[in-house]
Amino acid sequence: MARRVRTTTPNLTRRCLQNAGLFNLCRKHGVSSASIYKWKAKYGGMDVSEAKRLKALEDENTRLKKLLADSMLDNPALKDLLGKKMVAPAVEREAVAHLQSKYGMSERRACRVLGCCRMTMRYQALRTDDVALRERMKAIAHERRRFGYRRLHVLLRREGYEVNHKRLFRIYREEKLTVRRRGGRKRAMGTRSPILISVAPNERWSLDFVSDQLTDGRRFRVLTVVDDCTRECLALVVDTSLSGLRVARELETLITSRGRPKMIVSDNGTEFTSNAILGFADRNHIDWHYIAPGKPMQNAFIESFNGRLRDELLNETLFPSLSYARAAVAGWRTDYNLNRPHSRLSWMTPNEYTNTFNPRRDLPLRSIAGSAAAPVAHPGQIGHDNRQSLHHAG
């Protein structure tokens, strides 16, 4: 029986040679034969530049698909946080944590979506609790309800607390001690000439009246006298009625203890334009200046003082009797002159600022801060005329 001889065809020979070359190529570059066949099916018939261009297009397509998927996820995440105001760093940390927990975002991506810095997320605060400072500030603010954080800062520094004003303001707001701003009246607009500033004590005094009522409905008035240079409260006279004669007697007694001013500024009230006041100014050679009608800003020093008096005492206190009102007003005057820091005096008290001068006075200076609660002169008797004033008036 004849034996069949197996012969190799040219195609089989070529295929074997190709497989051998493919095997050597795979060993040389460290890739599998399956990858070689895959690349051949994909890039077969292309030159190198066309293959690179196709690869670049595929990478760009992949990137755009990823951006589209990210934006489709970012939109609902931003809508979820639409009602939150991200102003403080703590709120931003909460928003980033919300996106990480609900949407599975990374910290980097959540910060990019919200537009915040990653350092804000990783910052660890090193602030102390300031328990003693907070308690003391709340105690002072409860005692002086109309004081802002600047005056509280001055009082705390007097007690030995070394604290920055910005840090104190942060604690002040956290404790919700902000003074409620009362509604004010409309201010006149237009050109205003600046008021001349007195440079020495007793150069100019300012006078005005403040009114309030007792708990039973009776009205009382307060005569306020202020030194425009030192901002010192010279007198607070409380009574149900204060006539021009009574004002003149109070000023006479005040001049006896403190000295004679060069000028007194007041409005055009009937008490200040009476014959008793005209005679008083003529006898003591005092220049009495009346402001223009309807222009209280021309007597700004006493108007500012009256605002503090009403804001810190009259609006905060109930007065059951006239004697109680006199005692409360006298105590507030003592505190104003000795303890209350004044912003226009470099946060010194009026008494401390007065001590920086060496005024020359006709008589020895007597302490006015600790005067009694009673008025400096007794009320005039009803039904009697002042013969001296009538004779002066003609």
Side-chain angles (χ1 to χ4, degrees):
M1 187 174 181
R3 187 176 181 181
R4 183 178 297 177
V5 179
R6 189 175 181 179
T7 61
T8 59
T9 61
N11 293 334
L12 183 59
T13 304
R14 189 183 303 111
R15 188 179 304 168
C16 293
L17 293 175
Q18 290 178 355
N19 291 336
L22 180 62
F23 179 73
N24 294 330
L25 184 64
C26 292
R27 290 186 60 185
K28 181 179 179 181
H29 295 282
V31 295
S32 62
S33 59
S35 300
I36 296 295
Y37 283 114
K38 184 178 180 180
W39 293 341
K40 183 179 179 181
K42 189 173 184 179
Y43 302 108
M46 295 184 181
D47 55 6
V48 177
S49 60
E50 292 178 348
K52 288 183 178 180
R53 182 172 177 273
L54 180 60
K55 180 63 176 177
L57 291 176
E58 290 180 350
D59 295 340
E60 182 69 16
N61 189 24
T62 304
R63 189 178 66 85
L64 292 177
K65 286 182 178 180
K66 184 177 180 181
L67 291 177
L68 179 60
D70 291 344
S71 62
M72 293 179 65
L73 181 61
D74 294 345
N75 290 335
L78 291 175
K79 290 180 180 179
D80 193 9
L81 299 173
L82 190 60
K84 296 183 179 181
K85 292 184 178 180
M86 290 174 290
V87 180
V91 182
E92 293 181 350
R93 296 190 191 98
E94 293 179 0
V96 170
H98 176 72
L99 295 182
Q100 288 178 325
S101 61
K102 186 173 181 179
Y103 295 95
M105 294 184 180
S106 63
E107 181 184 279
R108 184 189 302 272
R109 181 179 174 187
C111 292
R112 185 177 67 251
V113 171
L114 298 178
C116 58
C117 182
R118 293 181 64 192
M119 291 187 294
T120 305
M121 305 299 110
R122 302 186 179 187
Y123 175 74
Q124 298 293 332
L126 302 177
R127 296 172 180 171
T128 58
D129 294 335
D130 301 319
V131 178
L133 177 63
R134 290 174 183 267
E135 294 299 327
R136 184 54 187 157
M137 184 172 61
K138 288 193 293 185
I140 298 177
H142 180 73
E143 179 183 355
R144 301 176 180 271
R145 297 171 53 187
R146 303 303 299 176
F147 275 20
Y149 80 96
R150 291 184 178 88
R151 283 192 173 84
L152 293 180
H153 186 212
V154 175
L155 296 179
L156 288 172
R157 288 179 59 186
R158 288 181 184 176
E159 297 181 4
Y161 289 94
E162 295 294 335
V163 56
N164 185 275
H165 70 280
K166 294 181 287 186
R167 176 183 171 194
L168 184 71
F169 180 64
R170 174 179 59 81
I171 301 175
Y172 181 79
R173 294 188 62 181
E174 291 177 357
E175 297 295 336
K176 295 181 174 57
L177 300 176
T178 307
V179 178
R180 181 175 61 87
R181 188 180 297 274
R182 293 191 172 99
R185 59 181 176 83
K186 294 183 179 180
R187 307 293 178 181
M189 302 299 293
T191 304
R192 300 175 181 175
S193 58
I195 188 171
L196 298 178
I197 305 298
S198 55
V199 296
N202 273 10
E203 278 195 354
R204 186 176 63 214
W205 291 359
S206 296
L207 275 67
D208 202 0
F209 286 105
V210 179
S211 63
D212 205 341
Q213 67 178 4
L214 304 176
T215 54
D216 57 2
R218 289 186 299 163
R219 306 290 299 183
F220 68 89
R221 307 180 74 189
V222 182
L223 172 64
T224 58
V225 185
V226 173
D227 191 312
D228 291 354
C229 175
T230 63
R231 310 299 202 275
E232 191 177 5
C233 178
L234 306 182
L236 289 177
V237 184
V238 181
D239 211 334
T240 55
S241 177
L242 294 171
S243 62
L245 181 61
R246 175 73 180 283
V247 173
R249 291 204 310 271
E250 297 287 349
L251 292 178
E252 288 278 8
T253 308
L254 188 59
I255 288 176
T256 303
S257 62
R258 183 177 179 87
R260 180 174 56 86
K262 296 180 181 179
M263 179 186 291
I264 294 180
V265 183
S266 70
D267 56 17
N268 295 271
T270 56
E271 299 85 355
F272 300 135
T273 57
S274 62
N275 292 330
I277 293 298
L278 295 178
F280 162 79
D282 187 35
R283 289 191 306 271
N284 293 276
H285 306 284
I286 296 176
D287 184 13
W288 197 289
H289 175 73
Y290 296 98
I291 64 175
K295 298 291 184 180
M297 68 286 296
Q298 295 181 3
N299 201 6
F301 295 102
I302 195 66
E303 292 293 338
S304 176
F305 174 80
N306 291 344
R308 304 285 75 76
L309 173 63
R310 183 170 297 280
D311 188 43
E312 297 177 10
L313 178 66
L314 300 183
N315 289 347
E316 299 290 324
T317 311
L318 295 177
F319 304 103
S321 62
L322 188 62
S323 60
Y324 181 86
R326 287 172 176 168
V329 168
W332 185 86
R333 174 172 167 262
T334 302
D335 181 73
Y336 177 87
N337 287 332
L338 299 180
N339 301 323
R340 185 184 186 276
H342 202 292
S343 60
R344 297 299 297 176
L345 303 179
S346 299
W347 300 109
M348 290 190 294
T349 64
N351 185 264
E352 293 174 348
Y353 187 71
T354 305
N355 293 335
T356 61
F357 294 90
N358 292 317
R360 298 180 59 185
R361 296 175 181 169
D362 298 337
L363 296 176
L365 192 64
R366 190 169 63 186
S367 176
I368 64 172
S371 59
V376 295
H378 295 286
Q381 297 184 7
I382 301 175
H384 294 276
D385 296 330
N386 188 350
R387 299 179 181 274
Q388 187 177 1
S389 299
L390 295 178
H391 176 72
H392 175 77

